[in-house]
Structure formats: structure tokens, C-alpha cells
Amino acid sequence: NTNLSRVEYKGMNLWKTLNKFRDWQVCASIDGTGEIGEYIRTGLDYNTWLENFQGGVEVMRHRRQLKLDYTITLPGLLEIKNMVELSKRYNVELLTKVTFAFTPDILLSPMALPRETLNEIVDENLHWLKDNAGELQQSLVDVLQNMKSRPTFAEQWPDSWESNAVKGKHWLQKLDKIRHGPDMEYILANDSRLLKWWNNIHE
């Protein structure tokens, strides 16, 4: 499993080296494309990542050898269609999971959303996936369907969710100032429902 930030090290190329083995498998971890992907993973250069990934596509001998490892975050909900298209473009499997959280202040998790908003966004994507997903994207379909029955933060922590949401928002805003790039509010502005929810989190 690798974030594919580089494939060259001390004169060796990852793909040329792996290609000498009888078999290998690489799960390329990526949580979104372009600007949103770069927001989720500080330090990611998406164009470099894509170039590195293409190198693996060129040497793989069967689909089991190279996969996309996609974790759905809150901003990553906006990247579902792009991730499906990436999977289809290179004919690789899209492994999918959801950001896990032990406490309700982890606002990078989509489960931080209110049930009504979450289900609405999930249903829209499931409807689109009916005509656009195949066998290689089935993991994404399964995860999205599961999210509709998985407890949201408000359902799991009804007594502490609101105060922790404020705490989580302050923490993300602090990180955004350090990073000096697009912030969470800018990213969530791509969907008015997400932006409204974000702006309504306050003391």
C-alpha cells in the first residue's frame, strides 16, 4: 500500500523493480482527484501521483496487481464520480472504505453530516452509479449503501455531538490556516448543502 508520492529511490524505479517479480500487488491510496484530493492529503501533487500511477498501469499484467484505495471523507463525497471515472479509465478496481472516527469531533468523516443530508447525497450518487458503475466499482456501491444504515455522529453520540462538532471545526480551521491553501469552507462550497451545514456549526 502506497500513496505513490514517488516511485524513484536511489536510482531504482518501483515499477521496473516489481516487474521482475513473478507477482505483486499495489494498492494506490488516493482520496480524491485534483484540488480536493490535494486538500484531503496535504503534500499531495495530484499530477505527479497520476503520472506515477500510470507507470503502474503500463507494467501490470492483470487487474489484481494494481488497485485504487479510496477512503471516503467528507470533502471526498464530492469526488465519487471522479474516482469512478479514474477507475474506469485505467480499468482498475476501486477499493472503498469510510473515514473511521472514535470521537464525534472528526469532521473529516462523512458520518458527521446530519442523516437527511447524508442520505440525500448518498442516494444521488447511488442513482448515478446504477448506470455508471461496473464490477470494478462495486465496492464503492456497497460502502455507500452501508452508510445509509451506519450511525451518524448525531445518532451515535446524541449528547455530545454538537459541542464536539464545534471543537472539530475549530481544529480544521486551525489546520487550514497553517496550510495556506484552499480551506474546508472553500471546498464545501461546491455543494450548498454541505456549506450550509458547515456554516451552522457554531458555539
Side-chain angles (χ1 to χ4, degrees):
N1 192 296
T2 171
N3 62 21
L4 280 185
S5 59
R6 65 179 178 182
V7 293
E8 300 281 348
Y9 183 68
K10 292 187 176 180
M12 294 193 304
N13 179 276
L14 171 67
W15 304 121
K16 290 179 181 179
T17 301
L18 288 178
N19 207 28
K20 295 177 182 178
F21 289 84
R22 182 177 61 188
D23 199 10
W24 50 268
Q25 183 182 95
V26 168
C27 292
S29 188
I30 187 75
D31 302 328
T33 66
E35 187 175 49
I36 292 180
E38 292 176 347
Y39 174 80
I40 298 169
R41 293 192 173 212
T42 302
L44 170 69
D45 181 317
Y46 181 69
N47 290 330
T48 297
W49 181 93
L50 189 58
E51 182 180 338
N52 291 341
F53 184 77
Q54 289 169 339
V57 173
E58 291 170 4
V59 301
M60 71 177 186
R61 295 185 291 274
H62 50 76
R63 291 190 315 208
R64 192 177 72 253
Q65 289 185 312
L66 185 61
K67 302 181 181 185
L68 291 165
D69 191 348
Y70 173 42
T71 299
I72 301 179
T73 61
L74 174 62
L77 282 174
L78 300 166
E79 281 292 300
I80 288 173
K81 293 179 181 179
N82 287 337
M83 291 300 297
V84 168
E85 294 303 327
L86 188 65
S87 170
K88 293 169 69 175
R89 185 193 319 165
Y90 294 107
N91 196 32
V92 294
E93 185 177 356
L94 181 62
L95 302 175
T96 310
K97 52 187 179 295
V98 179
T99 301
F100 192 78
F102 289 103
T103 56
D105 58 339
I106 310 300
L107 295 196
L108 276 179
S109 171
M111 305 314 296
L113 290 173
R115 170 59 63 191
E116 182 178 356
T117 304
L118 177 65
N119 282 4
E120 187 175 324
I121 293 173
V122 167
D123 284 340
E124 288 172 0
N125 280 286
L126 285 172
H127 179 74
W128 180 84
L129 287 166
K130 284 182 181 179
D131 297 322
N132 292 280
E135 178 185 356
L136 294 178
Q137 297 83 38
Q138 186 59 45
S139 171
L140 171 61
V141 175
D142 294 342
V143 167
L144 287 174
Q145 290 174 336
N146 176 263
M147 286 170 64
K148 295 188 65 177
S149 58
R150 182 174 173 173
T152 64
F153 287 0
E155 293 164 348
Q156 189 171 359
W157 294 288
D159 298 327
S160 61
W161 149 245
E162 289 186 292
S163 61
N164 276 281
V166 173
K167 176 183 174 183
K169 181 176 181 178
H170 286 166
W171 175 246
L172 287 177
Q173 289 174 326
K174 182 177 180 179
L175 292 178
D176 285 343
K177 289 179 180 178
I178 295 171
R179 298 196 298 184
H180 301 295
D183 59 17
M184 179 67 92
E185 184 173 345
Y186 170 84
I187 297 295
L188 297 185
N190 286 283
D191 187 308
S192 59
R193 297 165 297 187
L194 297 181
L195 182 61
K196 180 180 179 181
W197 165 80
W198 176 259
N199 289 334
N200 282 338
I201 299 174
H202 52 77
E203 294 178 298

